[in-house]
Amino acid sequence: PGVPAAHAAGDVHTGQAYDPASSYTMKWTRADAMKIMQTQNNPNVPPGANSLLPSLTMPAIPRNFPVMTDPNGKQVWVWDTWPLTDLQGNNVSYNGYNIIFSLVADPYAGYTFDDRHVHARIGYWYQPSDKPTSGWTYGGQVFAGRTPATQAEWSGSAKIGKNGQFQLFYTHMNFADRSKPKAVITLSNGRIRTDHPADGPALSITMGKDQPLLEPDGKWYQNVAQNPYYSFRDPAVFTDPANPGKTYMVFEGNTAGQRGAYQCQQSDLGASGENPAQVTASGANFQMANIGLAVATDRKLTSWKFLPPILSGNCVNDQTERPQFVIKNGKYYLFTISHAFTYAAGLRGPDGLYGFVGDGIRSDFKPLNTSGLAMGNPTDLNLSPTDPRQNGRQYQSYSHYVMPGDLVESFIDDVDGRRGGTLAPTVKLNISGATTSVNQQLLPYGYIPSNVAVGHPGK
Ligand code: FRU
């Protein structure tokens, strides 16, 4: 309401594709994000109810959820999780086993669930591929005993190669100086074995040495000197049928520049009806998310070159995390996760899954469902996140990852005060053009089936 038609027209994203190496960056605008409150929120719900459109809401997770444990029955905290895949994004089994990688931490080591990030390690889990609802067996940490206590291992992706070899792209975090953590996108080549004697584990993983790949350039991607709170992480590696012979990576970044120096642009606002100078003065220029793109310059994927970001959320949101592409019916769906508390001043949205669709990996992406919101937690957006009456499920799950069949896995964070640290029930998205809806049925906890089999079929 009240938005001049000419401005509104300027808000229309076309979906048009650009050369991946060109400098076109789609802007997720404040006007786009405002559509959550304008058209996807019910202002009249009783305080603390879910105010989001049901079709954009993840169903409520029961508070009596089960937790994941190691083979001795000891709980393992689990959050961001990614399955073993190929470069086309299929979930692959190897020699009859499904394999997933998770950030893990130890619930008994004397720190809280919210302090887990600096202790994060990558763990792996497996299950027979023909029993995808049988739960997961914990294999341990992939780099067991190797990462110093001042460092952490954050999210990434795992790509199958030949004969049980695979490539683990992850974020190496150095917290030696806690006020300036250093992020390095890193590769380690690994090997999966399933040929152990009968008294050994069914499956084990060993890793080779770390190969640092990328640190932010300070030109497109903000670095630690520009902002100690910069984001640079979550590499997702993939190939694009439209660009044969090339291998790409998307990752979470921030727009480069000194923290707080950016002046919000009209193009960041779109037809929000606001004034760029006033938006800057509100402090919205501290929220400077982008989604980065890099291309491999060698066949072993050990050498990479930055390309300009494919999306920015300047003055909109500070985090577009765990980005990934799902290529479907010739369209490129760019999914990412974001938080209620990383929105810029004047904007409100839920924790959850966001998405955009275009004709190529660099496009004038259309925000899914016009706002970019694909699936939020049950939230009363009419109340602040810190209001004591707020919906107890506003943080029920996070770190959603979209898989073949449009199944979405995530981890449980906080269900009505009960903290998680375990895989959530999987849910299914219905994707049609630039519109999505959430199937209102919870599938099994940690349901992460494979759709492609590699190696022999198992026992
Ligand atoms: C998302 C995230 C990732 C990061 C990890 C750290 O949940 O913030 O971006 O790799 O968690 O725990």
Side-chain angles (χ1 to χ4, degrees):
V3 177
H7 277 195
D11 256 357
V12 174
H13 302 277
T14 64
Q16 182 195 334
Y18 292 80
D19 183 335
S22 74
S23 63
Y24 180 82
T25 300
M26 180 267 175
K27 291 196 168 200
W28 181 32
T29 65
R30 288 175 66 89
D32 296 332
M34 280 179 183
K35 294 192 176 120
I36 297 172
M37 291 306 282
Q38 290 166 352
T39 66
Q40 298 167 349
N41 177 59
N42 179 349
N44 299 316
V45 298
N50 175 45
S51 68
L52 268 174
L53 279 184
S55 63
L56 298 182
T57 309
M58 182 170 176
I61 298 174
R63 196 170 186 276
N64 65 350
F65 56 81
V67 299
M68 293 165 77
T69 61
D70 72 10
N72 299 317
K74 214 176 138 199
Q75 189 182 354
V76 180
W77 273 335
V78 169
W79 65 108
D80 296 18
T81 296
W82 57 99
L84 180 67
T85 70
D86 59 20
L87 288 164
Q88 291 77 45
N90 294 299
N91 282 5
V92 302
S93 64
Y94 178 67
N95 286 357
Y97 291 95
N98 294 336
I99 303 169
I100 56 173
F101 299 86
S102 301
L103 299 190
V104 297
D106 181 356
Y108 309 96
Y111 49 85
T112 67
F113 187 60
D114 287 328
D115 285 333
R116 69 194 184 277
H117 303 280
V118 296
H119 304 282
R121 296 290 180 266
I122 298 172
Y124 66 99
W125 305 76
Y126 55 90
Q127 67 182 183
S129 57
D130 59 352
K131 297 191 181 66
T133 60
S134 62
W136 294 96
T137 299
Y138 187 49
Q141 298 174 9
V142 297
F143 299 118
R146 169 162 134 186
T147 301
T150 53
Q151 299 176 21
E153 302 154 14
W154 284 13
S155 297
S157 54
K159 302 290 146 182
I160 189 77
K162 293 205 170 75
N163 304 318
Q165 298 177 77
F166 72 101
Q167 295 195 292
L168 180 64
F169 298 89
Y170 76 104
T171 315
H172 190 110
M173 293 295 296
N174 190 336
F175 288 100
D177 181 348
R178 280 286 275 271
S179 68
K180 282 191 214 156
K182 195 177 137 189
V184 182
I185 289 180
T186 300
L187 165 65
S188 178
N189 291 325
R191 171 121 201 241
I192 309 161
R193 305 199 72 120
T194 59
D195 57 354
H196 299 288
D199 59 349
L203 183 148
S204 69
I205 281 178
T206 50
M207 302 303 300
K209 68 172 182 1
D210 275 343
Q211 307 181 60
L213 301 181
L214 289 168
E215 288 184 54
D217 56 1
K219 175 179 149 202
W220 292 319
Y221 302 106
Q222 193 175 48
N223 62 27
V224 66
Q226 296 171 331
N227 178 4
Y229 310 106
Y230 75 117
S231 299
F232 182 73
R233 53 185 185 257
D234 304 349
V237 172
F238 64 99
T239 52
D240 172 11
N243 289 280
K246 291 199 158 62
T247 304
Y248 295 99
M249 173 196 292
V250 284
F251 55 89
E252 172 184 1
N254 285 123
T255 301
Q258 283 299 322
R259 178 167 199 265
Y262 186 78
Q263 302 298 303
C264 303
Q265 304 292 302
Q266 183 64 51
S267 54
D268 300 319
L269 276 48
S272 71
E274 301 166 300
N275 168 303
Q278 283 168 3
V279 171
T280 304
S282 76
N285 61 338
F286 289 102
Q287 273 67 43
M288 299 288 291
N290 73 21
I291 294 178
L293 184 68
V295 61
T297 56
D298 71 342
R299 284 178 48 116
K300 292 182 162 175
L301 310 184
T302 57
S303 172
W304 292 78
K305 187 176 87 174
F306 282 125
L307 298 172
I310 54 175
L311 177 147
S312 70
N314 300 335
C315 309
V316 175
N317 199 306
D318 202 40
Q319 295 189 352
T320 41
E321 310 203 272
R322 294 196 68 194
Q324 61 165 135
F325 270 110
V326 171
I327 304 174
K328 201 182 157 68
N329 305 328
K331 296 287 179 196
Y332 292 70
Y333 291 86
L334 175 60
F335 287 102
T336 183
I337 52 171
S338 196
H339 287 292
F341 65 79
T342 54
Y343 269 103
L347 298 178
R348 179 83 172 96
D351 263 42
L353 178 70
Y354 289 78
F356 304 84
V357 60
D359 296 332
I361 61 173
R362 183 180 300 283
S363 295
D364 180 12
F365 296 107
K366 298 180 186 180
L368 292 181
N369 308 311
T370 70
S371 65
L373 178 63
M375 180 169 70
N377 286 328
T379 307
D380 184 353
L381 291 177
N382 308 306
L383 301 178
S384 113
T386 55
D387 190 302
R389 296 166 301 168
Q390 182 53 259
N391 192 306
R393 284 182 169 72
Q394 66 171 332
Y395 302 129
Q396 71 168 10
S397 81
Y398 192 60
S399 216
H400 304 82
Y401 174 84
V402 185
M403 308 186 287
D406 306 327
L407 299 174
V408 186
E409 56 95 358
S410 60
F411 78 92
I412 299 176
D413 182 354
D414 184 331
V415 179
D416 221 1
R418 181 175 174 217
R419 298 309 298 269
T422 192
L423 285 174
T426 294
V427 293
K428 189 183 175 334
L429 273 189
N430 308 306
I431 302 180
S432 162
T435 307
T436 63
S437 64
V438 186
N439 194 323
Q440 293 296 310
Q441 184 200 356
L442 293 175
L443 299 171
Y445 290 89
Y447 177 57
I448 304 179
S450 50
N451 62 318
V452 167
V454 173
H456 65 72
K459 294 181 193 81

